[in-house]
Amino acid sequence: MINFILLQGASDLGKSTTEEVINGIKGLGKWGDMGMAYLPKIIGALLVGFIGYWLIKWVMRLFITFLRKRHIDESLQTFLSSIIKISFIVLLVLIIISILGFDITGVAALLAGAGFALGSTLNGTLGNFAGGVMILILKPFKVGDLIEAQQQFGIVKEIGIVYTSILTSQNKTIRLPNGALSTGVINNYTDQDNLRIDIKVPVADYTNVDKARQVAIEAMKTIPTVISDPAPDVKVTELTGDGPVLVLWPRIKIKPYDHKNPRQMEADYYSVYFGVRKAVYDAFVLNNISTPSNTFEVTMMGERAPHKGFDV
């Protein structure tokens, strides 16, 4: 009896093993068929991945060369290159997934939703970032320039991706958001090789204007920071009931920004702002040229309202 049971078990085991082997062979056949079906897609995906990655490296080299020729800020070069490279890689991965036969609609929708949510959350920051990129590319001003923007006046201390810092005469650092700065009016007083300062001086009625002009010109020449080319000049701008109004035109040289002496431009400006007024006033007193008022009105070139210089 026991022998019969063992023989029966061995027979069943043999049948089971034979069926499993046959099923396994059939399964291998199916996997083989699937492999043959997917093999062209896999090879195509590998080729696209290799060629695409090579193209990305080639395009990035061209892009970096372009940025360097345009003298774009190095920090902006690195940032833009990273953003563009990551975007290209994500696009390449989506293309490879599509070649393999997977549906990328859901992935694309997920990425779009994440981008929209991030954009909504960082709306203001992204606007400032975009403004910073435009400022660094277009360069309406550079570090060391004397600018007036967003009702602030001072020396550009730092140009960041999100904020631009300016240093005022009170030694205060003001950070201006790049979004509003890039779309607003920017007065750059140090963009050219020299800067003209307009100083209005009223003189008494019946004053010899030619004599007053000559005295004022000679007085301006005594200020070391007033350049001789273009030479200082004096014009009659208004005729009032108290007498004519003269405008003094001294100019100062715009010097390259020196990190060791960041306030050089400020010092030159003040030497003219205060020095010319005192020198001309003293010369008028010495030559008996009267003024109806001892108040001199100072304006920068191109402005209609009086300018307070660094004391804004």
Side-chain angles (χ1 to χ4, degrees):
M1 174 65 75
I2 294 174
N3 291 335
F4 176 77
I5 294 173
L6 291 175
L7 290 173
Q8 184 66 32
S11 177
D12 293 342
L13 179 62
K15 291 179 180 179
S16 176
T17 303
T18 302
E19 291 178 357
E20 289 178 356
V21 170
I22 293 173
N23 291 333
I25 293 174
K26 291 181 178 179
L28 290 176
K30 292 180 179 179
W31 281 106
D33 294 339
M34 291 178 63
M36 293 300 295
Y38 276 100
L39 184 61
K41 295 182 179 181
I42 295 173
I43 294 175
L46 291 174
L47 287 175
V48 170
F50 175 78
I51 297 174
Y53 185 72
W54 180 84
L55 285 175
I56 289 174
K57 293 177 64 176
W58 179 72
V59 170
M60 292 310 302
R61 283 197 298 267
L62 290 180
F63 182 68
I64 292 174
T65 301
F66 169 77
L67 294 179
R68 288 175 178 172
K69 288 183 178 180
R70 294 291 302 272
H71 304 289
I72 302 300
D73 185 83
E74 290 187 5
S75 59
L76 182 59
Q77 290 184 28
T78 303
F79 185 83
L80 289 179
S81 300
S82 300
I83 291 295
I84 293 177
K85 185 175 181 179
I86 292 173
S87 301
F88 280 151
I89 290 176
V90 170
L91 179 62
L92 178 61
V93 170
L94 291 177
I95 292 174
I96 291 174
I97 293 175
S98 177
I99 291 175
L100 291 175
F102 296 100
D103 186 10
I104 63 171
T105 305
V107 178
L110 180 63
L111 291 176
F116 178 78
L118 183 62
S120 300
T121 304
L122 303 176
N123 185 30
T125 302
L126 290 176
N128 290 331
F129 164 75
V133 171
M134 295 304 298
I135 289 174
L136 289 171
I137 292 176
L138 300 178
K139 297 182 178 180
F141 53 82
K142 60 184 181 297
V143 173
D145 280 352
L146 179 62
I147 68 169
E148 183 178 12
Q150 302 298 306
Q151 299 180 343
Q152 302 297 333
F153 188 81
I155 298 171
V156 178
K157 183 180 180 181
E158 180 184 3
I159 304 174
I161 294 294
V162 179
Y163 294 97
T164 292
S165 300
I166 65 172
L167 186 63
T168 68
S169 62
Q170 292 86 9
N171 209 33
K172 297 187 299 184
T173 298
I174 299 178
R175 302 178 70 196
L176 303 177
N178 285 335
L181 186 61
S182 64
T183 57
V185 176
I186 301 172
N187 290 329
N188 189 339
Y189 295 111
T190 50
D191 186 57
Q192 304 301 316
D193 60 349
N194 67 78
L195 173 66
R196 190 186 82 192
I197 302 176
D198 296 359
I199 305 175
K200 289 185 177 182
V201 182
V203 294
D205 201 6
Y206 304 110
T207 296
N208 186 328
V209 174
D210 291 333
K211 179 182 178 181
R213 289 185 66 255
Q214 191 59 39
V215 169
I217 290 173
E218 294 301 322
M220 286 189 287
K221 290 180 180 179
T222 63
I223 307 300
T225 46
V226 174
I227 63 176
S228 58
D229 185 21
D233 199 0
V234 178
K235 301 292 184 181
V236 178
T237 58
E238 299 176 45
L239 295 175
T240 67
D242 295 326
V245 177
L246 308 181
V247 58
L248 314 180
W249 282 355
R251 292 178 182 263
I252 58 177
K253 180 71 176 177
I254 303 302
K255 300 176 181 177
Y257 179 70
D258 184 3
H259 291 277
K260 296 180 180 179
N261 187 14
R263 292 192 177 275
Q264 180 62 54
M265 197 64 244
E266 179 182 355
D268 290 348
Y269 173 83
Y270 269 129
S271 68
V272 173
Y273 178 79
F274 293 115
V276 163
R277 293 192 298 173
K278 183 179 184 304
V280 171
Y281 176 76
D282 291 344
F284 279 3
V285 172
L286 186 62
N287 289 272
N288 298 318
I289 300 174
S290 301
T291 61
S293 173
N294 290 329
T295 301
F296 284 27
E297 184 182 30
V298 180
T299 62
M300 302 295 283
M301 179 177 62
E303 293 191 342
R304 296 181 180 177
H307 195 284
K308 298 179 182 179
F310 281 80
D311 293 326
V312 174

